[in-house]
Each structure stands twice: as C-alpha cells, then as structure tokens.
Amino acid sequence: MRKVFATLFAVFLFFSICPQRDAFALSNVPINWGFNKGKNGQQADAGAAYNALLQKYGGIYKGNPNDKYVYLTFDNGYENGYTPKILDVLKKEKVPAIFFVTGHYLKSQPDLVKRMVKEGHIIGNHSWSHPDMTQISDAQVREELEKVKAETARLTGQKEMKYLRPARGILSERTLKLGNEEGYTHVLWSLAYLDWDVNRQRGTQFAYDSIMSQIHPGAIILLHTVSKDNANALERVIKDLKKQGYKFKSMDEFMKTEKLKK
C-alpha cells in the first residue's frame, strides 16, 4: 500500500511542478522567434509553420503587404538614458508607438511610463521579470502578465492591456494559448537588428542602414531604447520613410485595419 501511495504522490508532484504539463495537450517546445529578413521592399517571412501557428492564435508579426504602413514597437527592460530623446522625436514627428515594458522598468522609470501614455503611446506587456515563459507554470505565466497590467494601470490609468511580447522572443503553442486566455494578442516583429547589446553599438549610420535595408510594407519594427544608435538614427529614419510614402500607424490601428480586410 505504501508503494501505491508513493507512486501516486510522485505522479502528483510531477504534474504540479512541470511547466510542460500544465497544458499537456499543447506543445511547449520553445520557439525562438526568427524569420527571413525583408529586402528590396519585400516582406519578411517566418515560414509556413510559424505563420500557421500565429494565425491559429491570432498572433501578428507583419501587416498587409499592399499597404505602406509601418508600426514602431520598443522593448523596455531597463533605462539607459535614451528613451526621453526617442519620445521627443516621436512627439515632434507625430508618430505613435507601443512600448513593451517589464516590471523592472515600471518600478524604476514610472515618470517615463506616465509620459508614454500621456503622449498617446500604448504600453504593452513584456512580462514582470522577463522569464522564458515556456519554462514556468501556467499560474506563473498568468502572474507575470497580471502584475505588469496592474502596475501600469496604477501608474498611468491605462486599464486595458491588449498586447503581449514574449520575453526573449521565446514562445510555444502553450504560451500562445495562455496569452489568448488572458486577453492578449501576441505582437512579434518582422524587422529588427542587433541593437540591444549596449557594448556592441556600431554608430548611427549602421542603425539607419539596418532598418532601411529591411523596411517593407506592413513592417512591425522592433527597437530597443537602450541603444544610443537608435536614439540618434530614429528621426532620420522616420523622415526618410515618410518621404518614401510610408505612414506610421499605432497597434490599435493595425488591429482595426487588418480585421476589416479579413
């Protein structure tokens, strides 16, 4: 009898602590987001499998290939002194953006977060402690998301939080479903470059070229505000894209536009 109880307890413990078993009907194989970069004005492409998975759960990484719309998104895990300059540029050029923030950013930079909302930008969820969410339980995932939402609402009055960017760009079918259950749309990206490493900044021209060489209609652009290069290149990027006929739209406008076309 003791052996039976020991076996049952072991099974219970396994299902209690193993994050992969919280939603065992779904795959929890980690996906490190990636794609074939856009070039010559042609859209980036993540491939049939990733496209189908995102479509199944309403996730997005690019818009309509026939519209010269682009969407600026920023990831904010910590402050490096350049976000005020970026906000100044966005205000001057009348460009909307979405900032995906962590708990650390909310706690350490409340005034900047308030300014983002005050100036018409959206705050998105980048998780509280920036974990690989494929490696934590369902309850922990929900807690990570709820804490960011609650603190953002307390600071800024933005009570609704609709957009989620998984920390580290890692997701799985399980975490996609969990995000959906919490009311989120996963927002990935179709244009990025290695800008987050503050020890590998390569100059304003490099940042400008990296963005402009990949630009395409419907691009969701990922930038990190810790990058001095981004802060210095952003105004020129915006002005030159406007000259090329691109229009900068908000994530809310993306959702409305894309839904109308389905």
Side-chain angles (χ1 to χ4, degrees):
M1 182 63 70
R2 287 180 179 177
K3 289 183 179 180
V4 172
F5 279 118
T7 300
L8 289 173
F9 178 74
V11 171
F12 169 79
L13 187 63
F14 175 76
F15 278 91
S16 297
I17 67 174
C18 182
Q20 285 87 346
R21 295 295 169 180
D22 287 331
F24 56 87
L26 297 175
S27 170
N28 195 45
V29 175
I31 297 169
N32 290 273
W33 181 248
F35 47 84
N36 292 318
K37 293 181 179 181
K39 59 182 179 180
N40 300 320
Q42 298 300 305
Q43 285 196 320
D45 186 29
Y50 286 179
N51 288 339
L53 183 62
L54 284 185
Q55 185 175 20
K56 180 178 179 181
Y57 292 98
I60 59 175
Y61 74 101
K62 61 183 179 181
N64 192 292
N66 300 314
D67 292 329
K68 294 192 82 171
Y69 299 157
V70 289
Y71 307 87
L72 270 182
T73 76
F74 294 91
D75 284 1
N76 290 70
Y78 66 97
E79 182 54 40
N80 198 32
Y82 304 114
T83 304
K85 182 174 181 177
I86 287 171
L87 287 169
D88 289 344
V89 170
L90 297 176
K91 185 175 182 178
K92 178 183 176 183
E93 294 298 322
K94 297 180 173 58
V95 167
I98 180 168
F99 292 86
F100 290 95
V101 302
T102 63
H104 175 79
Y105 200 87
L106 288 164
K107 288 296 188 181
S108 63
Q109 302 297 327
D111 289 341
L112 282 175
V113 176
K114 290 176 185 177
R115 180 182 169 187
M116 292 168 186
V117 173
K118 184 178 180 181
E119 295 182 358
H121 305 298
I122 299 170
I123 303 297
N125 204 319
H126 201 36
S127 76
W128 187 259
S129 61
H130 207 255
D132 173 353
M133 289 196 287
T134 67
Q135 300 304 308
I136 61 177
S137 70
D138 286 12
Q140 288 171 312
V141 170
R142 297 183 201 279
E143 182 181 16
E144 286 280 332
L145 301 180
E146 180 55 34
K147 287 174 73 175
V148 171
K149 180 180 179 180
E151 184 64 11
T152 299
R154 188 187 72 80
L155 283 175
T156 71
Q158 180 190 287
K159 296 181 180 179
E160 189 175 37
M161 187 167 275
K162 300 181 288 187
Y163 306 111
L164 165 63
R165 175 162 287 159
R168 313 182 196 186
I170 302 174
L171 65 152
S172 68
E173 184 169 10
R174 167 183 162 261
T175 63
L176 281 167
K177 186 173 187 295
L178 281 169
N180 278 184
E181 290 174 353
E182 294 302 304
Y184 288 97
T185 295
H186 280 73
V187 179
L188 298 163
W189 60 91
S190 63
L191 193 161
Y193 78 102
L194 202 162
D195 64 341
W196 50 265
D197 189 341
V198 297
N199 296 314
R200 294 183 63 186
Q201 298 297 291
R202 298 175 64 178
T204 304
Q205 188 64 44
F206 181 83
Y208 175 88
D209 291 342
S210 296
I211 297 168
M212 300 302 283
S213 65
Q214 298 182 61
I215 202 67
H216 61 78
I220 295 179
I221 303 170
L222 164 60
L223 298 175
H224 289 81
T225 62
V226 295
S227 167
K228 178 181 180 180
D229 294 348
N230 285 342
N232 289 336
L234 185 61
E235 185 171 354
R236 183 182 168 201
V237 166
I238 290 172
K239 286 182 175 179
D240 286 356
L241 288 179
K242 286 179 177 178
K243 289 176 183 176
Q244 292 183 23
Y246 282 96
K247 295 180 179 179
F248 290 84
K249 299 287 186 177
S250 73
M251 196 50 53
D252 284 347
E253 289 173 309
F254 178 103
M255 298 303 291
K256 290 177 183 176
T257 301
E258 294 304 310
K259 283 181 179 178
L260 286 173
K261 291 181 178 178
K262 289 182 180 179

